Amino acid sequence: MATGNGQVNDSRKPEATDTNLTDSDENLHEPAKNQEPLENGEASNLPIDETNDNSADDDDNNNDTEASANQVSSNLKTSAILVKEKALEIHEKVQQRRVAVIFSILAAFLAVVIIVAGGYAVWNGKYGEQRNYQQLQELAQKPKGMTKDGGLPAFKASDYNPKAPKIDLYVDYFCPGCAIVEQDLFRSMKDMMEAKQINLYLHPINFLDSKTKNHYSTRAASAVAYVASNQPGKLFDFSTALFDKTYQPNKDNNRDVSNQEIIDQAVKAGVKESIAKNSVKGTYTDYVDKATKYTSRRKELYVTMQDQFRFSTPTICINGKMWQYRQLHTLDDVRPTFIHSIGLHREQVGDPKTLPAIGPDGDAIPIQQKYL
């Protein structure tokens, strides 16, 4: 409102000045009384930056978590190693047990094999000869005139003499020893056979077949059996021709003999050409095999050869018993000893009026020292 002196009476309050500030206002700009500075992290009434403290705690927690994780990982690795080692240990034990079981099975199997083999050896030794003999008797195709022990008569049936000794001659046509006996003895044997002083039977064997080329022992023996069946009067001559020194294959030359060569030897011996050609067709191969198996098991025909007790050729039996000469290694001349052993004198050979002293049943006369 205006006053008289021209002044306006202003009813507004005067503006506040610094001097008019109250204590409370001053408090906004000055520190609170009795408030001391913070030391050593003591609590104060001032606001605290909680963000920094939480980060520290998180770092600690993260470190603890990482350490725990590392510890867990380490423990897992250790456990894995232990598990692997244990697994290997179990595997090794399983393998050892498996090997032990396998060896036990093998040992049991071998024991059974040994027992079976031993039993078979005993059985075969006891019954093998009998079985082979039976197989020989059951041949589908036997040579004519074949004896029960596989012998082939080297004479006509009409020339058989029941009062004369039986002579069995076992030969392999690859055998060099047989050729030597042939050279020494066959001529005298033929003379005695033709005079009916002996009944001669040939046994063609193939036990040397594996040492020949093209199974010569078997082929020659089969050809001999064929001639025996179809032209027996020429059997002995054919057999003699197969031991000819200019022809015979042996361990020294081991030459490969053709069927045609066998045929030629048969024809030279007087065998009919047609019979000679058919003789090499293997008609009596089965007979040769069966006769050889049976003969090679006959212990009464065994001799000691090269530290082995076995059958060998040439073997001569007189009245069913092996002649003593096979057991002698110092016998120089077979012919005079054989003549003596059957009970003849040299000058009596080929004389149909004189029969050997031992007859058809007697034992051979032992070889005297003068022949050794």
Side-chain angles (χ1 to χ4, degrees):
M1 115 176 241
T3 62
N5 53 7
Q7 294 179 347
V8 177
N9 185 19
D10 192 351
S11 60
R12 293 177 300 177
K13 295 180 178 179
E15 294 180 0
T17 64
D18 292 338
T19 58
N20 292 327
L21 295 176
T22 64
D23 292 339
S24 60
D25 292 332
E26 292 176 354
N27 290 340
L28 294 174
H29 300 279
E30 296 180 3
K33 294 180 180 180
N34 302 324
Q35 190 174 30
E36 297 180 357
L38 297 178
E39 293 181 2
N40 301 326
E42 292 180 355
S44 70
N45 294 327
L46 293 176
I48 299 174
D49 189 356
E50 295 180 356
T51 303
N52 291 335
D53 290 342
N54 290 338
S55 296
D57 290 342
D58 289 343
D59 289 341
D60 290 341
N61 290 335
N62 288 337
N63 290 335
D64 292 342
T65 301
E66 184 177 354
S68 298
N70 291 336
Q71 183 64 38
V72 170
S73 177
S74 176
N75 291 340
L76 288 174
K77 288 180 180 180
T78 302
S79 298
I81 292 172
L82 292 176
V83 169
K84 185 176 180 180
E85 290 178 350
K86 190 65 177 178
L88 288 174
E89 181 182 351
I90 293 173
H91 178 72
E92 289 178 357
K93 289 182 178 180
V94 170
Q95 288 296 100
Q96 291 174 355
R97 290 176 181 175
R98 183 177 298 171
V99 170
V101 170
I102 292 174
F103 273 110
S104 297
I105 293 173
L106 287 175
F109 176 75
L110 289 175
V112 171
V113 169
I114 291 172
I115 292 172
V116 171
Y120 176 77
V122 173
W123 179 87
N124 199 36
K126 185 175 182 180
Y127 300 106
E129 180 182 337
Q130 180 179 343
R131 183 182 72 254
N132 292 139
Y133 174 81
Q134 189 62 34
Q135 291 174 346
L136 180 62
Q137 309 313 309
E138 295 172 353
L139 277 170
Q141 191 165 11
K142 302 176 185 178
K144 293 179 181 178
M146 185 194 85
T147 61
K148 289 186 177 181
D149 59 357
L152 304 177
F155 51 89
K156 296 179 182 178
S158 58
D159 291 335
Y160 173 75
N161 186 351
K163 297 181 179 180
K166 179 189 177 187
I167 308 299
D168 290 283
L169 180 60
Y170 298 83
V171 295
D172 187 306
Y173 292 100
F174 187 74
C175 168
C178 296
I180 294 173
V181 171
E182 181 274 326
Q183 295 164 16
D184 291 342
L185 188 57
F186 276 27
R187 179 69 258 177
S188 295
M189 278 190 169
K190 182 178 181 181
D191 291 340
M192 288 185 279
M193 182 178 62
E194 290 179 345
K196 300 182 182 180
Q197 292 176 309
I198 60 172
N199 297 310
L200 180 63
Y201 297 84
L202 277 174
H203 296 256
I205 303 298
N206 72 343
F207 84 111
L208 294 177
D209 199 58
S210 61
K211 298 181 179 180
T212 71
K213 290 182 178 179
N214 199 20
H215 303 286
Y216 175 76
S217 290
T218 297
R219 291 188 295 126
S222 178
V224 166
Y226 189 88
V227 171
S229 295
N230 294 275
Q231 198 175 352
K234 291 298 179 180
L235 171 60
F236 195 81
D237 292 337
F238 178 37
S239 185
T240 300
L242 292 177
F243 287 121
D244 189 298
K245 290 187 293 185
T246 62
Y247 161 83
Q248 187 200 25
N250 53 52
K251 64 179 182 180
D252 294 326
N253 58 50
N254 198 18
R255 68 186 190 86
D256 191 356
V257 179
S258 67
N259 284 341
Q260 185 58 52
E261 289 179 277
I262 296 175
I263 292 171
D264 292 342
Q265 289 301 107
V267 173
K268 287 179 182 179
V271 177
K272 295 178 181 178
E273 188 172 357
S274 59
I275 294 175
K277 288 182 178 179
N278 288 328
S279 71
V280 296
K281 294 183 178 180
T283 304
Y284 293 106
T285 296
D286 196 28
Y287 152 75
V288 174
D289 289 337
K290 295 294 192 299
T292 300
K293 288 181 179 179
Y294 167 62
T295 301
S296 63
R297 288 187 177 278
R298 295 175 59 187
K299 297 295 193 299
E300 70 272 17
L301 302 180
Y302 280 24
V303 292
T304 300
M305 297 290 294
Q306 300 175 348
D307 297 327
Q308 292 183 345
F309 188 60
R310 58 183 175 82
F311 173 80
S312 181
T313 56
T315 288
I316 299 174
C317 290
I318 299 175
N319 285 339
K321 296 182 180 179
M322 186 172 64
W323 182 34
Q324 182 187 0
Y325 100 102
R326 287 300 284 125
Q327 301 166 323
L328 302 175
H329 302 288
T330 58
L331 187 61
D332 296 325
D333 195 346
V334 177
R335 180 175 177 273
T337 53
F338 176 78
I339 295 171
H340 167 78
S341 293
I342 63 173
L344 283 177
H345 296 291
R346 183 177 303 181
E347 64 274 10
Q348 294 174 325
V349 172
D351 181 1
K353 296 179 181 180
T354 307
L355 291 177
I358 64 171
D361 302 312
D363 293 336
I365 299 171
I367 297 174
Q368 297 179 6
Q369 187 64 36
K370 65 180 182 179
Y371 295 113
L372 302 179

